[in-house]
Amino acid sequence: MSAASTPQTVEVADGVYAYIQPDGGWMLNNTGFIVGGSGVISIDSCATERRTRAYLAAIAAVTPHAVHTLVNTHHHGDHTFGNFLFPGATIVGHEHCRAGVLAFGAPRNRGIWTDVEWGRFEMAPPFLTYTTGITLWSDELRCDVRYVGTPAHTGNDSIVHIPERDVLFVGDLVFSGGTPFALMGSISGTIEVLEQVIRPLGARTIVAGHGAVCGPEAIEKSLAYLRFVQEAARRGQEAGLTPLAAAREIDLGEFAGLQDAERIVGNLHRAYAELNGVERGARLDSETALREMVAYNDGRRLTCDA
């Protein structure tokens, strides 16, 4: 890794740490951990064996205690592929997160992203599941794990709120500096969750699933982009354009600087479906949408530095 891409451990509150993996692009997720007197709670794992081992080394540099609980915010592989490297930890997730991990299976290079050296992999889905939420305790510190109530980034997103520390881990419901992505969830659902679930918590410190630690301003930036996508979808459908054709005509304007801009194509696929009455989280042809994102990039595979 270059110096610019070296992960950083940031103490965002007393005993609460964010593990930030620059540059926050495809598969370069953030994790976090909470240190207690008897052990550690980890929020997510990483995409590859190498990166998850580096994360575990970062935890060990802070505390000699082992990770006894691992929370998955959703099923995507950059947050779950490394689960197997937490032996002895109770792996916690929404019941649909468990199903999603099992359905996806082992990591593989698919010709959509630049190839990744995944390393060793063993299937390790959550085995303590919930429908609405669960409360974890790090000594006397309360950690509220809550399902967000509707498909958003995926159909199984959860947040981890630490009210006493005013810290919120949001998984991929927020991308700090990156383009929001709801192909496998819901545009309208993500807006609803940001407005009705995340914003009302009033957390001053937000650890996004990708990108720098941020504050409430990241919620508003995400909302603005998602509403932009909805309006672009409405105009594109009225003009008879496919999602890819509409994306090619769109001026991203203030959102042009967001990382992984090609996500506009996948987001339009979901927004078109919602305009057509498809229910939130319904399965779409994501393979086609992803390959159209490559086409949007003039045939260049999506950059993945995991």
Side-chain angles (χ1 to χ4, degrees):
M1 301 179 195
S2 68
S5 66
T6 301
Q8 299 177 347
T9 304
V10 181
E11 188 169 16
V12 295
D14 185 22
V16 181
Y17 297 83
Y19 182 74
I20 308 300
Q21 295 195 97
D23 59 2
W26 290 109
M27 304 300 285
L28 291 177
N29 68 309
N30 297 331
T31 57
F33 59 100
I34 303 146
V35 178
S38 60
V40 177
I41 298 170
S42 176
I43 300 157
D44 287 326
S45 60
C46 303
T48 67
E49 178 185 10
R50 175 176 63 93
R51 286 190 173 271
T52 303
R53 290 192 184 280
Y55 172 47
L56 288 166
I59 295 174
V62 171
T63 175
H65 296 307
V67 175
H68 58 57
T69 307
L70 169 62
V71 180
N72 287 148
T73 58
H74 60 290
H75 76 279
H76 283 167
D78 48 339
H79 299 258
T80 62
F81 283 155
N83 283 1
F84 74 99
L85 291 170
F86 293 76
T90 299
I91 306 176
V92 179
H94 189 267
E95 57 189 16
H96 296 320
C97 176
R98 173 181 171 83
V101 169
L102 290 169
F104 190 88
R108 55 200 180 277
N109 292 321
R110 301 163 56 188
I112 294 171
W113 290 273
T114 50
D115 287 349
V116 172
E117 192 65 45
W118 299 105
R120 189 165 65 90
F121 170 80
E122 296 176 15
M123 181 62 71
F127 58 86
L128 175 60
T129 64
Y130 52 84
T131 56
T132 58
I134 193 170
T135 297
L136 303 175
W137 295 87
S138 178
D139 300 332
E140 297 305 310
L141 185 64
R142 183 185 182 105
C143 306
D144 292 325
V145 182
R146 298 291 182 264
Y147 171 55
V148 297
T150 187
H153 173 64
T154 68
N156 55 80
D157 302 294
S158 293
I159 57 175
V160 182
H161 184 215
I162 309 170
E164 188 178 324
R165 299 288 191 267
D166 213 4
V167 174
L168 180 64
F169 289 85
V170 294
D172 286 358
L173 294 163
V174 172
F175 289 79
S176 178
T179 302
F181 194 47
L183 171 62
M184 298 171 190
S186 170
I187 301 291
S188 64
T190 306
I191 291 173
E192 179 180 306
V193 168
L194 292 174
E195 289 183 333
Q196 299 182 21
V197 178
I198 292 177
R199 184 198 275 159
L201 292 174
R204 290 180 299 173
T205 302
I206 295 175
V207 182
H210 297 256
V213 175
C214 54
E217 73 285 347
I219 299 171
E220 306 312 316
K221 290 178 182 177
S222 295
L223 285 168
Y225 174 83
L226 294 165
R227 292 187 183 111
F228 171 83
V229 169
Q230 287 182 319
E231 177 59 20
R234 184 190 63 78
R235 293 197 309 268
Q237 274 205 340
E238 288 178 352
L241 299 174
T242 66
L244 176 58
R248 284 173 166 160
E249 291 199 2
I250 289 172
D251 177 2
L252 291 174
E254 64 180 295
F255 308 112
L258 294 178
Q259 192 171 32
D260 302 320
E262 67 273 359
R263 291 176 182 165
I264 184 65
V265 181
N267 288 329
L268 285 172
H269 271 271
R270 177 57 64 179
Y272 270 46
E274 292 183 352
L275 285 172
N276 292 333
V278 175
E279 67 180 17
R280 293 175 179 178
R283 188 176 182 86
L284 302 183
D285 183 358
S286 59
E287 186 76 13
T288 293
L290 291 168
R291 294 197 180 280
E292 287 186 1
M293 288 161 61
V294 174
Y296 178 86
N297 278 349
D298 299 321
R300 296 188 308 275
R301 289 196 288 176
L302 312 184
T303 300
C304 181
D305 293 325

